[in-house]
Every structure is written in C-alpha cells, then in structure tokens.
Amino acid sequence: MERSSNEMQANAKLTREQHLDLYYFMQLNRQLEERMVRLFRQNKIVGGLYASLGQEAVSIGTAYALEPRDWLAPMIRNIGALLVKGFKPRDIFTQHMARYTAPTQGKDGTSHFGDLKVRHVVSPISMLGDLIPVMTGVAMAGRYLGQKIVAMTWIGDGGSSTGAFHEGLNFAATQRAPFVLVLENNQWAYSTPVAQQAPLKNFADRALAYGIASHIVDGNDVMAVYAAAKSAVEQCRAGRGPVLLEAKTMRMRGHAQHDPAEYVPQAMFDYWKTQDPIARYEAYLTEHKLWDAAKKSEIDARIERELDVDQKFAEESPMPPPELAEQGVYCDGCHTVEADWRRPKQELLPPASSVEPVWKVTDFGAFVPSAPAAIAAAGRAEKPGAKPAPTPLAEPEAAPELTEEQPLRVPFGRGPKDRAFERERLEKQEKHRKPFVKHRRDKRGKH
Amino acid sequence: MAEITMLEAIRAALFEEMERDPAVVALGEDIGVYGGAFKVTEGLLAKFGRERVIDTPISETAIVGAACGMSYLGLRPVVEMQFMDFIACCFNQVTNFVAKSHYRWGAPVPMVVRGPSGGGVHGGPFHSASPEMHFVHTPGLKVVYPSTAYDAKGLLKSAIRDNNPVLFFEHKFLYRRIKQEVPAEDFTVPIGKAAVRRPGRDLTIVSYGAMVHTSLEAAAALAAEGIEAEVIDLRSLLPLDREAILGSVRKTNKLLVVHEDTRTGGIAGEIAAIVCESAFEHLDGPIARVTGLDTPVPYAPPLEQRFLPNVEKVAAAARELAKY
Ligand SMILES: Cc1ncc(C[n+]2csc(CCOP(=O)(O)OP(=O)(O)O)c2C)c(N)n1
Ligand SMILES: [Mg+2]
C-alpha cells in the first residue's frame, strides 16, 4: 500500500521559490510562537498557549501539499498550516489576545477559527478526534459536488485513542473519502508517553485494520513530509481513498505554557534538539545551493517586519463589546448557505439518480483458513484431544508488554539510547515468543 | 387530499425536499436498502441513489460529524438516528461541534437529526427515552417535536430549509396510530410557533408530542364535567413560543404542563419559570405538572404504564387545579 520513496520524490519537485516558501513558513511559525510566549509572560494572552516548537515541519510540509481549493482543519499545534492556507499572524495574535479584530471577534481563542468561503478551513473544537468525522464529511461533500477536493486534518498520538478517531477513519474508509489524516506522533500527550496510548511502535499500522493506505515519515524533515503528503493528496485525488500519514516528531515544550514538562527525560529533549526541523532544513537549503546567507537574512528580516506590524495591530486592537456575547447563536439569515456545484445537478435527481435498491453481495463470508488460523488448526491435528490453540490476533511484531516489574521505557528517536532500548525489547520479545515463533515457521512451510 | 399517517407524512417531506433540492442528502444506519428500522426512508434509495441516501456504519459520532462537514460545503444533510436514545453516543458532536459552530466562528450548520423517540411501545430503557431536554439546554440547536401528521411534514420541511441544526423528534407511538389529511403540495409549518389544539377558558394544558393526544382526551373528559381546558401543543421546544403560553395563561389563569419526559429538568420547570417571571399576577393557582417518573423507562407493561402520564393522571391534576 505504501508508495515508494522514489515515486514520492518525483512527485515532490519544488521550485527554488517554493523551497524558500517552506523555510519562510516554518520560520514564521516559530517566530510567531516565540513572540506569543513573550506576550504570555506579559499576561497579554488571555487563555492558554500551546506551542508547536520542533513540529513546524509537520504543519508546513503537509499543508503545503494542498491546493487552494482543498480543505483543512488545524489542531492546536497546526498554526503553521493556517499560515500556509493564507491566514496572517495578526489572526493568530488577535485570537490569542481575545481582540474584537480576531476572526472570531473574541468568541473563541487559539486556532479555533476558520473560513468556509475563501481559505476552506474548518475550525477545530477542543474535543480531540471530532474533526476526523467532520473532515470526512467535507471530503464526501466535495466529491458529491464534483469539486475534486481533498480534505486534511491532524491528530495527536493521544487524540488517536478517542472513539471519534475510530468512527471517523472507519467511515472515511468505507466511503473511500478523499481524506488525509496526519497522525502527528510527538511522543507525548500532555504528560502521558506514547506507549501508554497504545502498545504500537507505529500508529500507521492501524491503517491496515481500516483497509486504507498509510505511510510513516520523519516529521522533522520538511521535504520528506511534503513529499509524503503530496503523494497522499494525489492518491486521494485519484479516488483511491483515505491515507493515514504518521509523522514521527517531538513536542519540544510542555503541553502548554503552564507545563514545564519535567516528566520528559532530559536526554530525550537533547536527542531531539539535534533533529530540529528548521536547522535541518537550513542545512538542506545550503547544501543544495538553494540560498545563501543574504537570502536567509532577507527572509528573516521580512518575517520580523511582518510580525512587528501584526503584533502592534493586535496589541492596539480593542476587546469586543460585551453585548456581542448575546449575538450569533443562530444564523438568522446572516449567512447564505450555497453549494459550489461542479457537476450537473440533474445527475443527482430522478430519473438519473434512480437505482435498484438491493445490495450486490459477492462474498458470502465463508470461513477461509488464513495462515495463522491454519496453524492453530494444524496444532490441533498434531495433538489430538489437546485444547485448541487460540488464533493469534496480532503479529509477534507487536510492542513490548507492560508488566508491573517492567519499568516504563520511552522509545525515542534513533540515538544510542534508543538502540539500546530496541535491543532490550527484541531480546525480551524473542525470549517470550520463542516457542510460538518456531511453531509458526515450521507449519508455514507445509502450506 | 389523502389521509396519511405521521410516518407517511415524514417520508413525504423527505421525498419532496430531496426532489426539490439536490443539496439535501440522507445518512443513517439501515436507511437505504432496508428503508430504515421503522421504514420512514423506504423508497428513498430507489429514487435518489446511493450518493444521496447513504447507508452508514454503526457510528453515530461519524454520522453526525460527517453531516456537519457536509453542511459546511452547502449541503443539507438529514441524519436518521435509528432510535433517538442513541443520540447519546454522539452527544459531543451535537452539543460541542454542531451547536457552537455558528456562534464561535460564524459557520452555519444546516442539518437535521431526526428519529423515533418516546415510550409506550415496550421498548425498554434504551429504546423509549425522551432525550429532548439535553438539547433544549444547548444553545445553537433548534428542537422540534410534532404531534400531528400535518405538522410533521411541515416542520420537517422547515427544519431542512433552516440554516441551523435542528433536532427533529418523532414520537414512535404516533408513527402509525394517527392519521390526518395532509396536502400533497408544498407547505411548511414555522419552527418556534405553538398551536392551540383546543380552546378553553378554565385552565391551560401545555404539552407536546404524544402527550398532546393524551391531554386532548383528558380535556374531552373534563368538558363533560364542565371544565373547559385549553390545550396548547408546543410543536417546538427550542425556540419556545413564550407568547403562546403566556397569552393562554393570562386568559385561563391556571397552568398544567404535561410531558412524557422525566420530571426533574423537564420543560415544565422552564415553562413554570417563564410564567412566574412574566405572568405571575395572572395565576389563580399553583402551576401543576404531569410528567414521566424520574426513572429510566422500564420494560414490563405495568411498569411502563406506571412511568407514563395518561388520561386519568392528566384529568386528575386538572380537576385539582380547577378547584382554585
Ligand atoms: C476528548 C478530549 N479529552 C481530553 C482533552 C484534554 N487534552 C487536550 S490536549 C491533550 C493531549 C493531547 O495529546 P496529543 O493528541 O498527543 O496531541 P499533542 O498535544 O501532543 O499535540 C489532552 C488530554 C481534549 N482536548 N479532548
Ligand atoms: Mg502528542
């Protein structure tokens, strides 16, 4: 199901301008958030402040693979995706500072805003996972209207444990909706390490259970993220159904500003610091002679200028008038609801729309011995009267079991500690699984 | 004009709206080939095809979520809950995503969630509930609960054409039990407007859904005793037609609220507060209520009968009130 990386690279040809664009957006994302940290300390951010420090390549690389007609919905750490979609730093500043000039005029904060008409952005809500069914619906509606769009949203390693994740992705899969779900695995969900969310090394493996395509990408390599996202978007646009794209990355701050993240091992931060997505991309641009020091200064200066202007705008903006609180619960004609039809409506009206209301059932669901089940059956034949072996549900590849005496270990990165961890895990697994694994190999040969 | 059941009236509204506007699509469990658990959507698939009549997995959250996403692109999805009890499974989507969308960021959600609700058919604790008040307590939603075939058709059309999310409760006890002449042509019934089902001068009975019929039966019995009850059918619970309630109370000076929903937190409490705020000096007696018990809806017929309001309970409460 996965596409080869060659194919992806071929799809990911970018001009020099586009390469510099990626840098601009990543750096803008970072500098914007740095400024908001300062504003937070000055008590000018009204609510919480969440950072995407260290994850900028995920937001930027994925959103950059979309076209203007495509739709996205950001999560809290995807301010970068909003910038790519054309929102301005002032929108982010004013949202966080609860100003009347903010996209929601102070009714909601953070990245909780959108734009149905021009930028095609759906506002998230705080409840994790809920965007997945919503963006599935966006993808379905786009297809219904003949718009050839792709819908994209993000979910954290933690958010992927919700029921909405399952219902949404399963529905998208059954509908073969043009929907890209980026699973941003930043190793932590608030204070909870990823191994406590699910005993999986790769969350992308879940795609198999949904019958959809998946890909795993180095989330701190913006070119790789872009290439993978581009390929996923094209797969969707070609009508091949949803894609689950797992980006391995690291949340480099606490959950939000209030959280010093003392539960994260310092060595883990140290390791990921060496993987900083912007530093890596700067090196890439230099190595490929896509810029020089003068160009970098020019872009950095532009970012500073833009942020100066927008921050000033936000700080000088008023708070909303109190009576606004009472307005806008209902749409009382203030908005027009109109679909952008890109196909003849006649196709969707009788008689053209009429069908025979029956299911076409081709698979009667008969039991077909699969390899593991056959092994269980063979095991029974060998030892007549023995208790039938249970059908193995998971490949022995599955993650280490967490038992009481086993200290909780956090897998991270590709550093020396990680290799040690991996070795330890494999040894344990080998010891634990030996008789079973041998048994499997023996029997498989005879089939 | 043909006499049709409430179920047929709902179906007719769906057919006519889907015929009128290709932006109207239907989603739900078993609604297509099978035609829905109660056959409300029977025939829709054959006429409108699989793109417009979508048989979904058993995923209430995904169904409501996807319908919300579809509405953002200008579609008008009509979602069926197989039973309204199951709306609890997608409470979050309805109350947090859908209901707050327009207020928070100006994105209207023109969708309808409709389905069978209420007891009296021995459905037990999970197929008989009246969950409407969870949503009456949620700003941003509209909540509609027709009691007649005519209203069911007209209100469903209004709900589909509304730019806001509308929850449309269909009392399953009424589906095939009531018949009425309903015009085959296009008409709507406005959301937020109550109807006077029987005029009277001695006391006001406010009700909705199946209890309107119980209240009317009780009113007929009371009339034989010389008590003229005015029966008001709310039709919409959110927005609530305050003026209709207050106008009637100012005339009769006595109020009895009847609902099948459980007592604590039922709409009777809200109506009592409104009347106390705005028509207190017109009251000649205490505001009375006849409601479901504060229990789940039990399964065994004697238990369910105990749970439900009925003609005797309503008439008895009205007689007490009339004494003031
Ligand atoms: C359904 C739900 N439960 C709890 C929360 C509170 N909460 C907000 S963010 C968060 C952690 C999210 O972790 P993850 O999904 O990995 O995203 P990350 O913060 O790492 O980007 C929690 C528990 C929530 N927003 N939604
Ligand atoms: Mg996380």
Side-chain angles (χ1 to χ4, degrees), chain B residues 219-274:
Chain B
L222 292 165
E225 303 165 22
I227 301 169
E228 287 299 336
E230 177 148 301
V231 178
I232 295 196
D233 177 1
L234 290 172
R235 305 199 285 191
S236 297
L237 302 182
L238 185 67
L240 194 59
D241 190 345
R242 300 163 54 100
E243 286 319 310
I245 299 164
L246 292 170
S248 179
V249 170
R250 286 185 186 121
K251 185 175 82 177
T252 66
N253 311 111
K254 288 168 194 166
L255 175 61
L256 167 65
V257 186
V258 180
H259 59 66
E260 180 181 322
D261 187 12
T262 52
R263 192 173 187 85
T264 304
I267 201 147
E270 182 60 29
I271 290 172
I274 289 171

Side-chain angles (χ1 to χ4, degrees), chain A residues 55 77 155-159 184-190 192 251:
Chain A
Q55 300 176 223
R77 299 191 207 286
I155 188 74
D157 42 289
E184 198 159 1
N185 183 348
N186 63 4
Q187 318 305 325
W188 296 91
Y190 209 149
T192 306
R251 194 193 74 202

Side-chain angles (χ1 to χ4, degrees), chain A residues 38-336:
Chain A
R38 290 202 288 277
L39 288 166
F40 185 88
R41 294 193 179 128
Q42 294 165 20
N43 227 358
K44 288 180 181 164
I45 302 286
V46 169
L49 177 64
Y50 304 80
S52 59
L53 184 70
Q55 300 176 223
E56 295 91 343
V58 180
S59 290
I60 307 293
T62 49
Y64 204 74
L66 296 175
E67 293 178 13
R69 66 182 148 159
D70 293 331
W71 285 66
L72 65 75
M75 287 297 283
I76 204 77
R77 299 191 207 286
N78 302 116
I79 276 172
L82 290 171
L83 297 171
V84 172
K85 260 292 189 187
F87 281 105
K88 297 295 168 206
R90 70 176 53 194
D91 298 318
I92 319 283
F93 281 130
T94 51
Q95 275 288 115
H96 282 81
M97 295 164 78
R99 301 303 161 121
Y100 194 32
T101 50
T104 64
Q105 300 182 302
K107 282 184 173 170
D108 204 342
T110 63
S111 60
H112 288 189
F113 63 98
D115 173 6
L116 296 179
K117 297 289 180 214
V118 180
R119 297 187 185 91
H120 302 153
V121 172
V122 171
S123 165
I125 67 169
S126 290
M127 292 70 201
L128 300 167
D130 279 5
L131 274 171
I132 297 170
V134 172
M135 295 311 282
T136 296
V138 165
M140 288 166 66
R143 178 172 61 194
Y144 181 73
L145 293 164
Q147 294 175 350
K148 299 194 168 52
I149 57 156
V150 173
M152 177 185 281
T153 191
W154 293 260
I155 188 74
D157 42 289
S160 78
S161 303
T162 58
F165 173 97
H166 169 69
E167 288 199 13
L169 199 52
N170 181 59
F171 191 35
T174 58
Q175 286 290 323
R176 300 196 70 67
F179 170 56
V180 179
L181 180 58
V182 183
L183 198 156
E184 198 159 1
N185 183 348
N186 63 4
Q187 318 305 325
W188 296 91
Y190 209 149
S191 73
T192 306
V194 66
Q196 293 294 91
Q197 294 295 339
L200 289 172
K201 184 152 173 60
N202 297 313
F203 282 61
D205 290 351
R206 286 180 174 159
L208 191 64
Y210 293 110
I212 63 171
S214 69
H215 195 79
I216 301 169
V217 70
D218 176 352
N220 287 25
D221 175 350
V222 72
M223 287 305 292
V225 173
Y226 170 73
K230 184 88 181 154
S231 161
V233 166
E234 279 168 14
Q235 148 134 1
C236 282
R237 217 172 316 267
R240 292 203 289 265
V243 181
L244 178 63
L245 176 60
E246 180 181 1
K248 307 274 194 190
T249 184
M250 171 69 185
R251 194 193 74 202
M252 292 303 279
R253 283 212 170 99
H255 174 60
Q257 273 304 307
H258 66 269
D259 169 20
E262 280 153 352
Y263 46 81
V264 178
Q266 187 54 44
M268 187 171 186
F269 277 134
D270 292 345
Y271 164 73
W272 280 98
K273 212 158 177 175
T274 67
Q275 300 299 313
D276 182 75
I278 296 186
R280 282 174 68 184
Y281 191 52
E282 288 181 353
Y284 173 94
L285 291 174
T286 305
E287 190 189 324
H288 290 81
K289 300 195 170 38
L290 289 157
W291 70 353
D292 54 19
K295 190 74 200 173
K296 174 175 161 54
S297 316
E298 184 192 313
I299 299 174
D300 290 349
R302 176 184 158 203
I303 289 171
E304 284 308 301
R305 260 194 330 272
E306 289 173 358
L307 290 175
D308 280 344
V309 172
D310 280 16
Q311 184 177 336
K312 186 161 181 289
F313 171 82
E315 292 196 55
E316 287 172 359
S317 290
M319 290 272 174
E323 61 271 21
L324 182 70
E326 296 182 31
Q327 294 162 18
V329 170
Y330 291 117
C331 173
D332 48 15
C334 47
H335 294 89
T336 48

